[in-house]
Amino acid sequence: MLSITWSVDPNRSIFVWIKYFIYFTIGFILFILLSINFTKTIAIIAKSTFVSSIIISFAYLLKFAKYGILILTSGKATMANIASIASINVGFGGGRNLLASWITFSLTFAFPILYTQVSKKIKIVLLFGVLVNFIVIILTLSRTSQLALLIFALLLIFYNEKNILKNLSIKMLSSLFGLLIIIIFNPINLRNFLFNRFILAIKSLAGEIEDYGVLGRIELWTYAIKSIEEKFFTGTGIGTLYGGLNEIGGVQNYHNVFLQFFAQIGFIGFILFVIWTLWLFIMAYKLHKFYFFNFRLKLIAYIILLNFIVYYFKSLLMFQYFDLEIWTIIPTIFALYYLKEKVQNEKYMCSNSSF
């Protein structure tokens, strides 16, 4: 809050602090509900997250069908046309990247929790929903979300208890590769556009071509570094950009959470944020180890740990830390920690009563 006093744009800083307060309030309410009844609340959160992703995916597919089929089947499937279809927005202010990220979160957070707790018939319904979500993530051409999903699926292989999540990971990877095969051999030649997204990024980094998604981020990070050099200790104020600019290339954030906080709240604030991040990670890791006696809680703790890792991967390329993803993860970590303390106190009381 102190950064408002030296902010290059106090009004902007106040507005962003209000947004942080709103998300903190949402997180605090989730923590209270999880502390009261963890099992029921986490199930409701998982179900609502997954259902919302399905609704968003179908809405996206309907728009895709409406605006895309004629272009793709007309024999003029250019990169510009594909990009315009991929940028279809379904009510997300940040466009397709945030849309794809939320759908990815439903697959990395909600789906594993639900999949391990439902009957075989419901699992079939869930897998159908996963297929729909996979298709939309691929059609958005969001490289960050696609890589995040792949990272999660690979990390999931390392969880071997009862082979539940290992089998789930194999199914997720198989579905992804199956969709890739369909894309490679489809009649409208989508493969070039999907693969080109990653090839263009590599060539852009090598300076061979221009890709706005890559060059735009590099430009944002360059301004963030300039801001850090000029206001190393104080920062420019939360929510602000270099020199008080309203936007850089049409964007109002640095697309990297760590650079953002360093540039906006200075060195001390950045160190505190890093400590906060490491503390959350260590706590999530220890919680996974602690719940060896309860498979469901151990599973959820591990899912939360993986989502924490995946979120911070995505935060290197987007996000501003007021996102429903992280403010679902954080209160869940604290709720699991609260339950841990409760369990330990009960054990202590029982051991004392035995005397």
Side-chain angles (χ1 to χ4, degrees):
M1 292 292 289
L2 287 174
S3 65
I4 293 175
T5 59
W6 57 73
S7 173
V8 296
D9 187 348
N11 291 332
R12 174 68 182 168
S13 291
I14 291 171
F15 172 74
V16 171
W17 273 119
I18 291 172
K19 290 188 72 172
Y20 276 119
F21 178 77
I22 291 171
Y23 277 91
F24 172 81
T25 303
I26 293 171
F28 183 73
I29 292 171
L30 286 179
F31 167 71
I32 296 297
L33 294 174
L34 286 164
S35 300
I36 295 171
N37 192 328
F38 185 86
T39 303
K40 183 177 180 180
T41 303
I42 198 70
I44 292 172
I45 294 172
K47 288 175 184 176
S48 58
T49 301
F50 194 76
V51 170
S52 70
S53 73
I54 298 300
I55 293 172
I56 292 167
S57 291
F58 273 111
Y60 183 93
L61 288 174
L62 285 173
K63 283 197 172 186
F64 186 92
K66 181 179 179 180
Y67 298 114
I69 290 177
L70 290 177
I71 294 175
L72 293 176
T73 56
S74 65
K76 297 180 179 180
T78 64
M79 193 64 183
N81 288 336
I82 294 290
S84 65
I85 297 169
S87 298
I88 292 172
N89 195 351
V90 190
F92 276 67
R96 60 187 172 83
N97 281 321
L98 290 185
L99 180 149
S101 180
W102 180 252
I103 295 173
T104 300
F105 181 64
S106 78
L107 296 176
T108 60
F109 167 73
F111 173 61
I113 293 174
L114 295 174
Y115 185 82
T116 55
Q117 300 299 320
V118 298
S119 64
K120 289 184 178 180
K121 291 182 179 179
I122 301 298
K123 283 181 180 179
I124 295 173
V125 176
L126 286 176
L127 289 171
F128 173 75
V130 168
L131 180 63
V132 173
N133 283 345
F134 275 159
I135 292 171
V136 171
I137 290 171
I138 288 174
L139 291 177
T140 61
L141 300 181
S142 175
R143 290 171 292 205
T144 303
S145 295
Q146 291 164 2
L147 287 173
L149 188 58
L150 182 61
I151 289 170
F152 176 82
L154 291 172
L155 287 173
L156 212 54
I157 292 177
F158 294 101
Y159 189 86
N160 295 319
E161 186 165 336
K162 295 186 179 180
N163 285 329
I164 291 178
L165 292 186
K166 185 178 180 180
N167 292 335
L168 178 58
S169 177
I170 292 171
K171 288 179 181 179
M172 291 181 72
L173 287 171
S174 299
S175 299
L176 281 171
F177 287 125
L179 284 174
L180 285 175
I181 291 172
I182 292 172
I183 288 171
I184 290 171
F185 294 104
N186 77 87
I188 53 178
N189 201 29
L190 267 176
R191 63 182 176 275
N192 289 335
F193 302 105
L194 180 64
F195 296 153
N196 275 347
R197 286 284 288 165
F198 291 95
I199 293 170
L200 288 174
I202 296 170
K203 288 185 176 181
S204 182
L205 289 172
E208 297 179 17
I209 59 169
E210 292 186 359
D211 178 279
Y212 181 75
V214 175
L215 296 181
R217 282 177 171 80
I218 292 175
E219 181 184 12
L220 290 168
W221 299 341
T222 301
Y223 275 103
I225 293 170
K226 285 182 180 179
S227 185
I228 292 168
E229 291 173 346
E230 293 181 11
K231 293 184 177 290
F232 184 83
F233 288 104
T234 62
T236 58
I238 198 74
T240 61
L241 296 175
Y242 174 76
L245 294 173
N246 292 325
E247 60 181 40
I248 299 173
V251 179
Q252 293 184 328
N253 67 86
Y254 289 119
H255 274 52
N256 183 302
V257 164
F258 290 94
L259 283 177
Q260 171 189 304
F261 281 124
F262 204 153
Q264 293 178 354
I265 59 179
F267 175 72
I268 295 175
F270 171 72
I271 293 299
L272 291 175
F273 176 70
V274 171
I275 292 172
W276 160 257
T277 297
L278 291 174
W279 182 71
L280 283 175
F281 174 79
I282 292 169
M283 186 159 63
Y285 180 79
K286 286 183 176 180
L287 285 169
H288 158 59
K289 294 293 185 181
F290 173 78
Y291 286 110
F292 65 91
F293 56 88
N294 187 313
F295 174 73
R296 179 165 173 75
L297 291 178
K298 183 179 177 71
L299 166 71
I300 293 172
Y302 187 72
I303 293 299
I304 288 296
L305 174 63
L306 295 191
N307 275 275
F308 186 83
I309 295 170
V310 170
Y311 175 84
Y312 272 89
F313 163 74
K314 290 189 286 187
S315 76
L316 296 175
L317 301 168
M318 51 195 264
F319 289 141
Q320 301 179 64
Y321 219 72
F322 38 76
D323 318 283
L324 279 177
E325 293 181 34
I326 192 63
W327 290 104
T328 301
I329 294 169
I330 290 174
T332 306
I333 292 174
F334 276 97
L336 286 167
Y337 181 80
Y338 171 79
L339 288 176
K340 170 181 172 289
E341 293 297 305
K342 191 175 179 181
V343 168
Q344 287 180 330
N345 287 336
E346 288 175 355
K347 286 183 177 179
Y348 176 75
M349 293 297 291
C350 289
S351 64
N352 281 344
S353 63
S354 64
F355 287 102

